[in-house]
Amino acid sequence: MKRFNLLSFSVIFISIIYIVRIFYLQILDNSYNIPTLNNSAVKVVYDYPERGYIYDRNGILLVANQASYDIMIIPNEVKHLDTIEFCDLLKISKEDLIKKTEKAIKYSTRIPSIFLPQLSKNDYAFLQEKMYKYKGFYIQKRSIREYPVKSAPNVLGYISEVNEGSIAKNPYYQIGELIGTAGIEKTYEKILRGTKGVKFIQRNRFNKEIGSFKNGAFDTLPVPGKDITLTIDSKLQQYGEALMANKRGGIVAIEPSSGEILALISMPTYDPNLMVGRERSANFTKLYLDSISRPLLDRGLQAQYPPGSPFKVISALVALQENVITPHTTTTCFGGYRYGSGAKSIMNCHCETGYPIELNTAIYRSCNSYFANAYRKVIEKYKKPYDGMNVWNKHVESFGLGNYLNNDLSVGQKGNIPDGDYYNKVYPNGRWRSTATISNAIGQGEVLTTPIQLANMTATVSNRGFYFTPHIAKHIEGIPLDKKFTIPNYTTIDKKYFEPVIEGLFNVVDNPRGTAHWSKVEGIDICGKTGTAENPHGQDHSIFIAFAPKDDPKIAIAVFVENGYWGSRWAGPIATLMIEKYLNGKTNRPLVEERMFNGSIQEEYNKQIQGKLKH
């Protein structure tokens, strides 16, 4: 009997708790009474915040906002529409009207969606007094981007309408809203966009608006997006773009002491204002379909090239670390390095000294024989080529090569630094030796890098063995910089081995016999390395890496000029002009500058176009 009474009491007590809870939720607590978007008795109106502004490192405004106006549609409210008059007013065809209306109905008959986006101020002034005649349509104000400086579209990116995939992933967005699609706009979308406000408006049974729902208890105000200051020096960026006129390629400049990206250039480029307004879609399509110039490809981040002779810097450092050479180890070059069975294969070389040379001379004369010999010694130090290849790979990857750099840029490529497993796949049963991979020694073969990776490698050498992850955001309003950008990444190479290599890089420019002596700048100690990367699709690529000043580096740079013949022809002068401009604010080599401004490789590119047409 006692058990029965206890059970009855428990049932009654739990029932009372449930009744009280239901009463509280339905009668007393309003937090669960927020109207849904499909509630016909409540109209939902969004108030869009102003997107955050974007500045360069010196406070120059790069991205601002301008007023824009969208014509919105609520399909189930559209009544007695004079289609001919309406189409004439909006300057659209009847087919467009039907297509846009069907798209809105498919999304929702009750929720507002964009019918015609981004009207100009003049269009708005003309239409605002006439829209009352067309039930179910209204004009909503919002802001779109404006670019005061017509530069760096690959860095800044653009915004566009959200697609169904974005909406499915993030319920914050509604059809027709804007989202960062590339560049900074994409990486820092949540920070730049702010938070939209919302108003709930009550309707009566005649569908007439009668005031705020529950006196505005659920209404929220918009929160503006936060401003972002970039690491980019916009003047240096524009200068580099001007030097690269009528050329294709990528340039990346980095501040070694911080990893801040000073310039991120991709050529050919385009005016970022093309991605704004009602013509954005047509302009994007035109740029996207340009398979010749590929202006939407960020060559600084995505183009993968053989690094050529600049990679000899790594070959030297790895060989020094593995103790297979010293700065005084010599090699005699007779116009090339012979290898393979019976030494029948040859790696040609322009050095051709005919006498023993040490590491310093090998660097500034860019001797293929020296670095092929050093590379081979590293691989053959171990019993199996597989093991030697893996040791080599770990050293090289410690410079940030062969991997994404874990930066705050929206796109990128890994490049390729092969290891033992890679060659086991290429040569089944492990039947390969160091000579099968000898081209890696001089940055050819299977080695691929992006310009940003090579610039970061150069910054690492200038720092004598460490780098800060390259990044594009310098300051975000009210938000600290990600700690990963302030922690140094160390290589596997001891600091002591960098000095003899850096001395060789200094002589590349300073020594009269150096491969970049003609790019010397009086008063600035520049350390650099020319490169000529073989290219099966035309003339070789012109490459140059450099940092300056030698003992207190402020800038590290990598320049790739596609089909530029050889390193000292285009890449060397462009890189040293940018260094001079950044450090001195001007150049004292006007003739060199003019030659770069006016120089063109378009004739070479035209040959490629003609070749494609023939095929």
Side-chain angles (χ1 to χ4, degrees), residues 525-560:
D525 290 341
I526 297 176
C527 299
K529 186 73 190 76
T530 54
T532 304
E534 294 179 4
N535 172 34
H537 307 294
Q539 292 291 342
D540 293 340
H541 300 316
S542 175
I543 308 169
F544 193 75
I545 64 169
F547 66 86
K550 174 188 174 186
D551 296 319
D552 184 21
K554 300 286 193 256
I555 181 173
I557 192 169
V559 178
F560 281 77

Side-chain angles (χ1 to χ4, degrees), residues 25 98 105 117 150 608:
L25 291 176
I98 295 171
I105 291 172
K150 297 178 181 180
Q608 298 175 33

Side-chain angles (χ1 to χ4, degrees), residues 35 37 39-45 74 77 110 112 138 198-203 209 213:
L37 291 175
N39 186 346
S40 61
V42 178
K43 178 181 178 181
V44 180
V45 177
I74 305 175
E77 295 184 13
R110 300 180 184 276
Y138 66 95
V198 62
K199 294 180 181 178
F200 299 99
I201 301 172
Q202 185 75 52
R203 290 168 164 162
E209 297 178 8
F213 177 76

Side-chain angles (χ1 to χ4, degrees), residues 27-44:
I27 306 300
L28 300 180
D29 185 9
N30 287 328
S31 64
Y32 290 86
N33 290 337
I34 298 176
T36 65
L37 291 175
N38 286 309
N39 186 346
S40 61
V42 178
K43 178 181 178 181
V44 180

